[in-house]
């Protein structure tokens, strides 16, 4: 099983996680810029965070044989703090970088006016930078948030195929499907969405435009949930090729639209960085 | 006005690119040659516009590094040392790791009146081994002795081959030997393998004068 986790916050995870993910077949990830649990109050803490996910985290992942990409945005929760508004001004600098494969996470948290303004502005940036958009749907009042999300996406002029609407469930999947957007499912260790319900959704509507992720972060979450979903698919009678399509080819197709994927040509990722073609360099623990 | 040495010969780079890549490379080079303040705008996309990976015909140079150093060369041709440093600091500050590494490579080809030691010190504070290695190239002769010795020690710690350190034999001194010996003792006390590069550094520190010194 080769796995591309299209939504995981590795800055919050340990090297044990990287090792377990690699052993489970994970060879590529996308780390969306999001909230860190503790609200930020200044531009500088955002730029340091963005620098980390285009720099150090990419290097750290490479030490474990995993290609790391990211998405960049002002997330909806912090879009509500006027002190963070200037983050929007520095986004173009980051959206120009290699390995930045989408604008995200954008979308709604509490459905405020400030969230909508930031969301609309960032959909415009996605159009301008010819990047896909990764849209977070709220955990509270998900159905209404998803509906408004789809209206704004349609108004933005961004092609629906360039948009993934994430954290979907049985209630919200059909409207996103009908809109032609990609459907993201975050598999959690609690009741929000699990691998068996995921399999049931795949059995019902098929595999196209589906992205499955662990959304693992600093909260209760499990970076192995993509692997568990692959196993659940096989147990339910899906083929190896079906699993490869959902867990590898679909995310490659979606994020490949950015032209910024950093996958090795043969997709066989080396477990060691090489320096001047011969020497092994490992990340220091000192 | 400032001349930067190329990381690879232009013909070697040209041979590694396809037609579209060559055309974009030429366009970017012209753009920053006419307006060097465009360097920060063309730098991020330089790899995906041209190529990436090992450059054939070189000893481990990457295509993206060679192209970016060439862009710095073009910008530098109209800038004095101070103005070039301002641009490079800006590009480094806002660059991803690949861009930062290319700035370090460009500094390694800079003339004596360019002193980017502050940029090197930033790179040496990271634990990104590719940045550490590039920071210990020819430009590291601008580092003061303390910073330089710490840089060599950092290479040993982070397993950057000390062959990346320019001028090791010329600059290695007794103080470095003492630092490295303490490091060696610590590894041995912990029952850990002592990397072979430790001996390479100690050999470099040994006085070349065959006559015994006073003790
Ligand atoms: Zn997330």
């Amino acid at each position: 099983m080769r796995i591309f986790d299209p939504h995981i916050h590795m800055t919050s995870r340990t090297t044990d996680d990287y090792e377990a993910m690699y052993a489970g077949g994970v060879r590529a990830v996308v780390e969306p810029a999001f909230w860190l649990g503790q609200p930020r109050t200044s531009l500088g803490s955002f730029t340091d965070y963005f620098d980390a996910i285009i720099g150090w985290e990419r290097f750290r992942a490479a030490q474990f044989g995993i290609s790391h990409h990211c998405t960049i945005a002002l997330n909806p929760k912090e879009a509500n703090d006027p002190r963070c508004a200037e983050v929007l001004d520095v986004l173009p600098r980051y959206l120009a970088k290699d390995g930045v494969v989408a604008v995200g996470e954008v979308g709604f948290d509490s459905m405020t006016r400030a969230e909508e303004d930031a969301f609309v502005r960032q959909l415009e940036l996605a159009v301008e930078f010819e990047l896909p958009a990764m849209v977070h749907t709220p955990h509270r009042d998900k159905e209404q948030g998803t509906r408004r999300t789809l209206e704004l996406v349609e108004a933005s002029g961004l092609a629906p195929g360039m948009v993934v609407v994430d954290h979907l469930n049985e209630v919200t999947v059909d409207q996103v499907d009908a809109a032609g957007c990609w459907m993201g499912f975050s598999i959690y260790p609690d009741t929000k969405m699990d691998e068996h319900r995921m399999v049931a959704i795949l059995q019902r509507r098929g595999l196209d435009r589906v992205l499955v992720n662990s959304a693992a972060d600093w909260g209760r979450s499990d970076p192995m949930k993509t692997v568990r979903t692959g196993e659940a698919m096989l147990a339910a009678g899906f083929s190896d090729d079906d699993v490869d399509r959902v867990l590898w080819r679909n995310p490659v197709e979606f994020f490949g639209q950015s032209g910024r994927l950093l996958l090795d040509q043969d997709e066989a990722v080396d477990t060691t960085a090489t320096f001047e073609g011969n020497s092994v360099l490992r990340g220091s623990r000192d | 006005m400032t001349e930067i040495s190329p990381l690879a010969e232009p013909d070697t780079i040209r041979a590694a690119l396809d037609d579209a890549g060559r055309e974009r490379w030429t366009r970017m080079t012209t753009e920053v040659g006419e307006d060097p303040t465009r360097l920060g705008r063309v730098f991020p996309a330089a790899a995906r516009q041209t190529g990436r990976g090992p450059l054939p015909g070189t000893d481990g140079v990457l295509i993206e590094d060679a192209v970016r150093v060439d862009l710095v060369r073009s910008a530098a041709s109209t800038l004095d040392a101070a103005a070039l440093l301002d641009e490079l600091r800006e590009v480094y500050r806002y660059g991803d790791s690949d861009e930062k590494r290319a700035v370090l490579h460009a500094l390694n080809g800079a003339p004596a009146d360019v002193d980017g030691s502050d940029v090197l010190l930033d790179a040496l504070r990271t634990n990104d081994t590719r940045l550490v290695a590039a920071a210990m190239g020819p430009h590291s002769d601008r580092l003061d002795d303390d910073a330089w010795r710490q840089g060599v020690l950092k290479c040993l710690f982070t397993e950057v081959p000390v062959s990346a350190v320019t001028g090791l034999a010329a600059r290695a001194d007794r103080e470095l030997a003492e630092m490295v010996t303490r490091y060696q003792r610590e590894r041995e006390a912990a029952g850990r393998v002592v990397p072979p590069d430790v001996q390479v550094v100690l050999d470099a520190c040994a006085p070349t004068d065959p006559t015994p010194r006073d003790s």
Side-chain angles (χ1 to χ4, degrees):
Chain A
M1 235 192 293
R2 58 176 179 172
I3 293 171
F4 187 136
D5 191 335
H7 185 148
I8 185 165
H9 301 281
M10 291 311 300
T11 51
S12 303
R13 309 303 308 192
T14 65
T15 54
D16 283 0
D17 289 331
Y18 269 127
E19 284 172 355
M21 287 161 64
Y22 185 86
V26 178
R27 294 293 180 273
V29 296
V30 168
E31 170 145 18
F34 201 58
W35 189 50
L36 292 177
Q38 173 70 36
R40 284 164 284 204
T41 58
S42 69
L43 175 63
S45 43
F46 276 89
T47 54
D48 287 343
Y49 170 67
F50 294 153
D51 288 339
I53 61 176
I54 63 169
W56 174 242
E57 200 57 42
R58 190 181 297 170
F59 176 80
R60 206 165 76 100
Q63 306 315 299
F64 295 92
I66 294 178
S67 298
H68 181 279
H69 311 81
C70 67
T71 75
I72 295 279
L74 173 60
N75 65 79
K77 206 181 275 272
E78 288 171 303
N80 289 307
D81 187 334
R83 289 172 297 184
C84 301
E86 51 189 337
V87 172
L88 292 173
D89 301 331
V90 303
L91 292 179
R93 183 191 299 149
Y94 290 97
L95 296 177
K97 302 294 184 200
D98 285 338
V100 175
V101 293
V103 176
E105 299 178 52
V106 293
F108 287 113
D109 177 61
S110 306
M111 307 284 294
T112 64
R113 182 70 218 217
E115 287 173 16
E116 181 159 323
D117 289 347
F119 187 9
V120 169
R121 174 72 195 109
Q122 294 182 99
L123 287 173
E124 289 168 6
L125 286 172
V127 172
E128 181 185 338
F129 283 83
E130 299 177 350
L131 284 171
M134 181 188 284
V135 184
H136 167 95
T137 51
H139 295 296
R140 306 174 299 275
D141 200 3
K142 192 177 280 292
E143 194 175 3
Q144 182 55 29
T146 305
R147 186 168 302 121
R148 184 67 186 138
T149 288
L150 293 172
E151 287 169 9
L152 293 177
V153 164
E154 195 184 349
S156 74
L158 192 61
M162 289 285 273
V163 177
V164 58
V165 183
D166 215 336
H167 314 313
L168 297 182
N169 57 27
E170 291 85 351
V171 175
T172 50
V173 55
D174 291 330
Q175 49 173 323
V176 177
D177 197 355
C181 295
W182 286 69
M183 290 149 277
F185 295 89
S186 302
I187 313 301
Y188 296 101
D190 59 23
T191 51
K192 276 185 262 182
M193 173 54 75
D194 68 34
E195 54 267 39
H196 305 291
R197 285 160 58 202
M198 185 69 241
V199 167
I201 290 172
L202 291 170
Q203 284 169 330
R204 180 168 69 78
R205 68 152 309 280
L207 313 180
D208 59 310
R209 285 185 287 123
V210 170
L211 302 180
V212 175
N213 62 69
S214 70
D217 59 9
W218 36 261
R220 190 158 178 269
S221 51
D222 180 357
M224 301 302 284
K225 280 296 182 188
T226 50
V227 181
R228 298 289 97 86
T229 302
E231 291 163 355
M233 284 178 71
L234 293 173
F238 282 104
S239 68
D240 288 328
D241 189 68
D242 292 335
V243 173
D244 189 68
R245 171 144 182 231
V246 172
L247 295 180
W248 184 270
R249 300 201 304 272
N250 277 358
V252 168
E253 180 184 343
F254 178 72
F255 291 111
Q257 298 181 98
S258 69
R260 312 267 191 92
L261 282 179
L262 299 170
L263 300 173
D264 284 1
Q265 232 136 32
D266 55 1
E267 287 157 4
V269 183
D270 228 27
T271 54
T272 54
T274 60
F275 173 72
E276 294 187 346
N278 49 31
S279 306
V280 175
L281 290 186
R282 292 174 198 287
S284 165
R285 283 132 200 104
D286 295 302
Chain B
M1 281 189 286
T2 307
E3 193 165 334
I4 302 287
S5 308
L7 194 56
E9 290 307 319
D11 284 345
T12 310
I13 302 174
R14 196 169 295 117
L17 303 181
D18 60 18
D19 286 343
R22 259 179 239 132
E23 195 182 304
R24 295 193 205 101
W25 175 39
T26 307
R27 203 170 60 222
M28 287 187 287
T29 308
T30 310
E31 184 178 347
V32 295
E34 285 166 359
D35 180 2
T37 66
R38 299 287 300 168
L39 190 62
R41 296 299 291 271
V42 301
F43 230 59
R48 59 180 185 270
Q49 298 275 3
T50 57
R52 205 193 297 278
L55 178 57
T58 66
D59 186 15
V61 172
L62 297 173
I63 296 172
E64 62 267 38
D65 289 357
V67 165
R68 286 195 173 111
V69 170
D70 187 68
L71 293 172
V72 175
R73 268 163 58 78
S74 183
S77 65
T78 62
L79 297 171
D80 62 24
L84 173 64
L85 262 177
D86 285 347
E87 284 299 327
L88 289 180
R89 285 191 182 112
E90 195 77 359
V91 170
Y92 180 91
R93 163 63 188 87
Y94 295 113
D96 63 18
S97 305
D98 287 355
E99 294 171 74
K100 286 185 192 320
R101 188 181 63 239
V103 169
L104 295 167
H105 283 309
L107 286 171
N108 281 331
D113 57 339
V114 174
D115 181 356
S117 48
D118 54 324
V119 175
L120 267 53
L121 290 172
D122 181 277
L124 290 170
R125 281 193 294 272
T126 74
N127 271 12
D128 186 324
T129 46
R130 296 171 195 221
L131 296 183
V132 171
M136 292 306 286
H139 205 67
S140 65
D141 63 1
R142 274 75 160 179
L143 296 175
D144 66 33
D145 288 340
D146 287 335
W148 184 81
R149 290 188 203 104
Q150 288 292 337
V152 176
L153 199 57
K154 181 133 191 179
C155 287
L156 293 175
F157 263 85
T158 56
E159 297 177 38
V160 169
V162 292
S163 56
V165 179
T166 302
L168 179 67
R171 202 168 173 186
D173 58 6
R174 195 162 68 183
E175 196 165 337
L176 178 64
E178 286 166 2
M179 289 164 73
V180 171
T181 303
R182 286 193 292 273
Y183 167 64
Q184 179 177 20
R185 245 184 264 134
E186 209 179 308
R187 299 279 298 204
E188 284 167 352
R192 299 177 69 187
V193 175
V194 176
D197 266 357
V198 164
Q199 195 54 51
V200 174
V201 176
L202 290 176
D203 288 347
C205 296
T208 46
D209 183 349
T211 55
R213 292 187 179 183
D214 295 342
S215 55

